[in-house]
């Protein structure tokens, strides 16, 4: 397939060389003549292990070309991969001027180029761009710019996951191949372009693909900062943080795993809030700042406040709260965000009926009993014996229980507003009118 790669920096050069090494006819384009000259003479413009060898062989084989001319690169090309920079502006926004310029260059060149055999041209953004860029900037510029030509354009976001220093190896062992497009022809083109990678293409909406790259980088930054915050505290109390963290990563059930990474309601229970407070106290008395860890409590509070605000914005005052304990299959009410939610809604004048398949106020003992007496002393009067009773006359249902009886009752009663706090109710319930998934 003939491919034009715009931007011969770290991402573009690696992408061009790796695609060319698998037999694609690759044309790299850059405004920087020195980079183009490097590649033409078989050298790499960026230092990356293994890249010079790949470029040298691909240039000698005639599968890799470099040029400053968009027109040469786009004659009969099926696809353009855009790998130009997306730096920060002084205010922190993403500077999309290089992306816009490249798309304009592609449009201008396609208007005079020999069209591809299919008459279709896919513009695939590999640079990291904010959600909405494909739909609001790239696709409209292509469609309006190519109107009246024989070329049918399409666009996709295909995030790049390589890391500098290991980028060639990362390209061939990509953790994911994600194609963000609503155009089936583009999805098919990109899937076949990268078909030699042993990684199935996941076709999603452009905004999902655009957001995914930010989620990945935000998570990586969070991981580094988490380890470094733990180290800052542990060093002060004489503990070897590297030993702690090397044991920490051995837990691949809860720590290095998908656990706790599903957007949903706030955390709570008898351990997490208490132990975060304890760590923060230890940090304070040892003069260590832990802004990220203390931020978890602020974020947790915002999650509860967000639900309250969204419920207040609904029509109706009758609320069914389905699920009260801090998670399913326990009657532990200590620091349950559902208890906090019930207290705040009652305080705002809502009529709240509660159903929890496990909580039985008569059986609550010890600190669990004290927790509920402090927050909801009249719990037994609010509790329903079965979910249908709590839902009777409810305008709003707030659900964290995954109990089957709860799902069945929701399907039967269909309240006007439904908040699925943990996103686990399933399609049958999600299809109900007014469904709103918290955390989506
Ligand atoms: N570097 C990484 O490890 C990495 C990994 C994944 C994603 N990304 C993302 O990929 C994008 C590119 O990153 P990079 O590090 O390769 O950038 P870079 O600065 O190394 O390269 C960008 C290249 O684009 C060229 N360019 C600018 N405007 C052009 C135009 N109109 N036509 C042709 N070429 C043009 C520049 O001359 C430069 O050579 C960024 O959005 C970045 O966030 C980078």
């Amino acid at each position: 397939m003939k491919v034009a790669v715009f931007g011969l920096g770290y991402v573009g050069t690696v992408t061009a060389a790796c695609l060319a090494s698998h037999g694609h006819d690759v044309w790299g384009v850059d405004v920087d003549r020195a980079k183009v000259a490097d590649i033409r003479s078989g050298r790499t413009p960026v230092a990356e292990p293994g890249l010079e060898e790949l470029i040298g062989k691909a240039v000698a084989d005639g599968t890799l070309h470099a040029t400053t001319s968009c027109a040469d690169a786009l004659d009969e090309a099926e696809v353009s991969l855009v790998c130009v920079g997306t730096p920060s502006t002084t205010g922190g926004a993403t500077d999309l001027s290089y992306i816009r310029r490249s798309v304009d260059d592609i449009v201008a060149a396609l208007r005079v180029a020999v069209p591809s055999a299919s008459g279709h041209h896919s513009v695939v953004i590999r640079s990291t761009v904010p959600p909405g860029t494909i739909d609001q900037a790239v696709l409209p510029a292509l469609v309006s710019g190519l109107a009246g030509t024989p070329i049918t354009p399409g666009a996709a976001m295909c995030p790049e996951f390589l890391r500098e220093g290991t980028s060639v190896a990362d390209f061939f062992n990509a953790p994911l191949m994600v194609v963000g497009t609503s155009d089936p022809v583009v999805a098919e083109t990109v899937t076949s372009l990268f078909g030699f990678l042993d990684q199935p293409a996941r076709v999603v909406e452009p905004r999902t693909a655009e957001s995914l790259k930010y989620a990945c980088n935000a998570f990586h930054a969070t991981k580094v900062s988490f380890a470094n915050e733990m180290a800052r505290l542990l060093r002060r109390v004489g503990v070897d943080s590297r030993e702690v963290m090397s044991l920490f990563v051995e837990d691949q059930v809860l720590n290095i795993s998908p656990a706790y990474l599903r957007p949903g309601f706030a955390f709570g229970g008898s351990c997490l809030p208490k132990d975060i407070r304890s760590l923060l106290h230890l940090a304070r008395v040892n003069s260590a700042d832990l802004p990220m860890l203390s931020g978890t409590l602020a974020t947790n509070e915002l999650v509860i406040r967000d639900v309250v605000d969204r419920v207040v914005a609904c029509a109706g005052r009758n609320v069914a709260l389905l699920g009260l304990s801090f998670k399913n299959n326990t009657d532990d009410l200590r620091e349950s965000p559902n208890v906090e939610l019930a207290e705040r809604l009652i305080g705002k004048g809502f009529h709240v009926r509660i159903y929890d398949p496990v909580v039985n106020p008569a059986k609550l003992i010890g600190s669990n009993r004290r927790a509920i007496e402090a927050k909801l002393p009249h719990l037994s009067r609010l509790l329903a014996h079965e979910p249908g009773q709590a839902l009777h006359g409810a305008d709003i249902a707030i659900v964290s229980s995954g109990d089957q009886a709860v799902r069945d009752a929701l399907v039967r009663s269909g309240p006007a507003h439904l908040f699925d706090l943990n996103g686990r109710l399933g399609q049958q319930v999600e299809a109900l009118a007014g469904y709103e998934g918290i955390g989506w």
Side-chain angles (χ1 to χ4, degrees), residues 150-239:
I151 296 167
T152 313
M157 171 69 192
C158 193
E160 175 53 71
F161 297 107
L162 60 76
R163 297 162 296 172
E164 285 175 25
T166 53
S167 59
V168 172
D170 287 349
F171 182 93
F172 289 120
N173 293 295
L176 279 170
M177 167 51 65
V178 177
V179 188
T181 186
S182 17
D183 183 332
V185 180
V186 180
E188 177 56 38
T189 305
V190 178
T191 304
S192 109
L193 179 67
F194 292 104
F196 61 88
L197 298 176
D198 194 17
Q199 189 60 268
R202 317 283 278 274
V203 180
V204 296
E205 286 299 308
R207 282 165 182 274
T208 305
E210 290 163 331
S211 307
L212 174 66
K213 180 66 193 176
Y214 286 99
C216 293
N217 280 349
F219 189 48
H220 301 161
T222 303
K223 285 169 80 169
V224 172
S225 300
F226 170 69
N228 286 335
E229 281 205 357
M230 290 307 294
R232 189 179 308 134
L233 172 61
L234 296 178
R235 186 169 59 242
R236 283 168 167 82
V237 295
V239 177

Side-chain angles (χ1 to χ4, degrees), residues 3-4 6 74 77-83 99-108 110 120-127 133-135 137-143 146 151-158 179-181 183 185-187 189-190 193 206 210:
V3 188
F6 287 82
L74 285 170
E78 287 279 338
V79 54
S80 291
L81 301 181
V82 179
C83 308
I99 294 281
R100 291 183 200 280
R101 173 70 198 274
S102 305
V103 174
D104 289 347
D105 289 348
I106 291 168
V107 165
L110 283 176
H120 198 280
H121 190 84
S122 303
V123 174
V124 178
I125 306 296
R126 297 227 84 184
S127 306
T133 304
I134 297 291
D135 287 341
V138 177
L139 200 51
L142 289 173
V143 170
L146 292 169
I151 296 167
T152 313
M157 171 69 192
C158 193
V179 188
T181 186
D183 183 332
V185 180
V186 180
T189 305
V190 178
L193 179 67
E210 290 163 331

Side-chain angles (χ1 to χ4, degrees), residues 320-334:
L321 185 65
L322 304 170
L324 186 64
S325 56
F326 84 100
K327 65 178 179 183
N328 285 194
N329 302 323
T330 173
D331 67 352
D332 196 346
L333 297 173
R334 287 173 294 173

Side-chain angles (χ1 to χ4, degrees), residues 46-72:
V46 295
E48 278 297 318
L51 189 54
E52 185 119 323
E53 293 76 4
L54 274 184
I55 291 174
K57 182 162 187 326
V59 169
D61 290 349
T63 53
L64 178 59
H65 316 264
T67 177
T68 53
S69 160
C70 302
D72 289 350

